[in-house]
Amino acid sequence: MEPVIAATGAVQVSGWLMIALPLFGATVLLLGGRRTDRWGHWLGVGAALASFVCAVVVFVTMLGWPAEGRARSVHLFDWIQAGSLNVQASLLLDQLSISFALLITGVGSLIHIYSVGYMSHDPHRRRFFSYLNLFLAAMLLLVLADNFLVLYVGWEGVGLASYLLIGFWHYKPTAAAAAKKAFVVNRVGDFGLAIAIFLMFKTFGAIDFATVFGSADAAGRGTLTAIGLLLLLGACGKSAQVPLQSWLLDAMEGPTPVSALIHAATMVTAGVYLIVRANPIFNLSADARTAVLAVGAVTLLFGAIIGCAKDDIKKALAASTMSQIGLMVLAAGLGAAGYALAIMYLLTHGFFKAGLFLGAGSVMHGMNDEVDMRRYGGLARVMPITAITFGLGYLAIIGVPPLSGFYTKDPIIEAAFNAGGTRGWIVGGAALLASGITTFYMSRVMFMTFFGERRWAADAHPHESPRSMTGPMVLLAIGSIGAGAFLALGDRFVNWLAPVVGEQPEVEHVLAPATVITMTLAVVAAGLVLAWLQYGRQPIPRTAPVASLATYAARRDLYGDAFNEAAFMRPGQYLTRSLVYLDNRGVDGLVNGLAALIGGSSGRLRRLQTGFVRTYALSMFGGAALVVVAFLLVRL
Amino acid sequence: MNPANYVYLSALLFTIGATGVLLRRNAIVVFMSIELMLNATNLAFVAFSRIHGTVDGQIAAFFVMVVAAAEVVVGLSIIVMIFRTRRSASVDDANLLKY
């Protein structure tokens, strides 16, 4: 792979400013303390918007270059020079990273603006914005990095920001626990990523993308599979994929803008980014691709099933996020046919899922922070803008044409079927089924929240949210409508990403595209009808009714936490307890016993020191006599 | 007279002194016993000097006398001080320096 051209002029400056501006904002707000309380949130919004402008400048300039030569590198400084390890802190601006940067800064800016209104009653709004800015900087560093170590810094940075923001209301024990849980579960994934980087350094002697991907072909297939699986472990942690899915639902304890930005639109998609970025490795290892495919398919259904039973609006949306990211991972696992589709769905998902979360936040804002959908109902009348924008997001996510979900989800289902053989039928069937379940649970959210009778609490006075909140929702709704068609028609986005992830191979169609679309729409319609029968037509009980075992399991997150507790937490506890016992009784016992022995015997020995002169005199005589006897013996 | 008899006498005197040191409680008597032991050794030195026909033993005896004189000064003053503070010259009463 030939070295990437160094960026010059506006692109270079925009490249590093994009990260530096939010970082600057975060620093000022964190160090400035209460002095910045009055205008701090506007500084945060400004930093996010300025960063967005930088991304746009880079993007527009990039459009003017020929497709094969759009990648540019921005060298910041020499970071680590140790022996054969040579790490540059530098950025890579290419089609993939700039797509992410636009999503992160664009949706990020909208959510910053939304947060001004949403957090207006919170005394710590400034701290909130500093964390949001910190998140933006870290996330941009993650996607713009041109080697795995810088990527890792961003990876940890978003984990930190996520931890701080989930636990933003840390006086609530549930929020503090959720933050810890997210951090700990993420560590497991980070561990995988770290080992993958070590393995790359051992195999290739370098950790920058160009060298690793350029020489991937020369490495052994076993090594590549190991690297791929470890990268997948990292992706599972960050993207809440089975088996590291358990933290995402609890992460909804954080403020809703955080759920929208970090736990729906951007950070949780970092795993998909990692897999797509490392496409040369996955291209060479079919086993690693299969593992990715399996994780994606399982999570897709796992999240969808949980989503059907959750009464907490944010948790229902979080389960949906988990499921949709599963679909992206599944697409990435399809290999060259799916990378671009995964990213395309990721971008549109960023729009409509962020819009859905902001809508949920708007509902909560109007309902005294009530999250139980069984206490909602009939809100469409009192919150029309929220209902319409949420409804557009809803239509987009279930894939109704011509909204964005239709254009970006159907190609994935089609590509899944085209994977060929049994595998194609399994993953295609899973994607198709999940699309029906998605429709069911999203319709359930819709019916329970905005339609039906009003089941409000006595003191609830729902009202439409202020314009700073509805504005971003409207813009995101426009994105939910148009982004899909804009990206998908004429294979625009696929061609745009082709230089990074490779051309889509020509495949034999197992099912005609029209058949897949018809099947998907039929499944979607079935899900809608089922949801209407159960939640639209019948009155909804105000407390969760006794339900089937499956529903009960889904309410308990399909026993994900119970499994973790039984498989890891309890054995770990037994291990630590037995180690403590061993330490107390064994190690301490030995040391303490020795000390007691010496102490006790010396306590006896010191009784020899009586203080009586004649005793000492006697011992001296005895000693002298012994010496004399010894002399006599030796002489004999 | 056989010079060996002086050595026997010296051994006898030394034994009496050592027994006195070990058995008596009165510091003055203990002190006197120590003097007895020192003089027993002096006698042995002189006797051996005579037996071997050299003056080394006699020189050593002088050294012992000098040291004994110095020791008497220090020892007696210690005993006097103890007697002043404790109203007793028993060596068993001065037993503070112990475990």
Side-chain angles (χ1 to χ4, degrees), chain A residues 26 57 60 89 116 186 190 214 247 278 340 395 407 443 475 488 494 526 531 536 632:
Chain A
V57 167
V60 171
V116 173
N186 264 298
D190 298 346
W247 64 273
L395 292 176
Y407 285 107
S443 309
L475 288 175
V494 173
L632 287 175

Side-chain angles (χ1 to χ4, degrees), chain A residues 607 609-612 614 621, chain B residues 18 22 37 92 95 98-99:
Chain A
R607 297 275 158 195
Q609 302 289 325
T610 54
F612 292 122
R614 55 200 156 85
F621 274 117
Chain B
L22 291 180
M37 286 159 72
D92 283 4
N95 66 345
K98 62 177 177 184
Y99 55 86

Side-chain angles (χ1 to χ4, degrees), chain A residues 213 216-218 221 224-225 279-287 289:
Chain A
F213 299 153
D217 215 5
R221 289 297 173 269
L224 285 176
T225 304
N279 66 76
I281 288 172
F282 286 97
N283 281 340
L284 290 168
S285 168
D287 293 337
R289 273 207 310 280

Side-chain angles (χ1 to χ4, degrees), chain A residues 87-170:
Chain A
V87 182
Q88 314 280 320
S90 50
L91 309 176
L92 174 66
L93 304 167
D94 67 358
Q95 289 92 330
L96 179 60
S97 58
I98 202 66
S99 306
F100 264 88
L102 282 174
L103 173 78
I104 294 160
T105 53
V107 174
S109 300
L110 289 177
I111 289 171
H112 272 74
I113 296 168
Y114 176 91
S115 306
V116 173
Y118 188 82
M119 300 297 282
S120 57
H121 303 306
D122 197 292
H124 302 294
R125 179 162 65 166
R126 178 209 24 108
R127 192 158 55 88
F128 182 77
F129 275 87
S130 67
Y131 293 163
L132 275 189
N133 271 356
L134 176 69
F135 169 75
L136 276 192
M139 187 74 201
L140 286 168
L141 191 65
L142 195 169
V143 297
L144 292 177
D146 94 327
N147 63 62
F148 279 98
L149 200 62
V150 177
L151 180 144
Y152 193 79
V153 172
W155 190 268
E156 293 297 318
V158 293
L160 170 68
S162 161
Y163 166 79
L164 291 171
L165 285 165
I166 295 170
F168 185 72
W169 291 319
H170 50 75

Side-chain angles (χ1 to χ4, degrees), chain A residues 590-601:
Chain A
L590 192 71
V591 174
N592 289 346
L594 197 64
L597 182 74
I598 290 174
S601 49

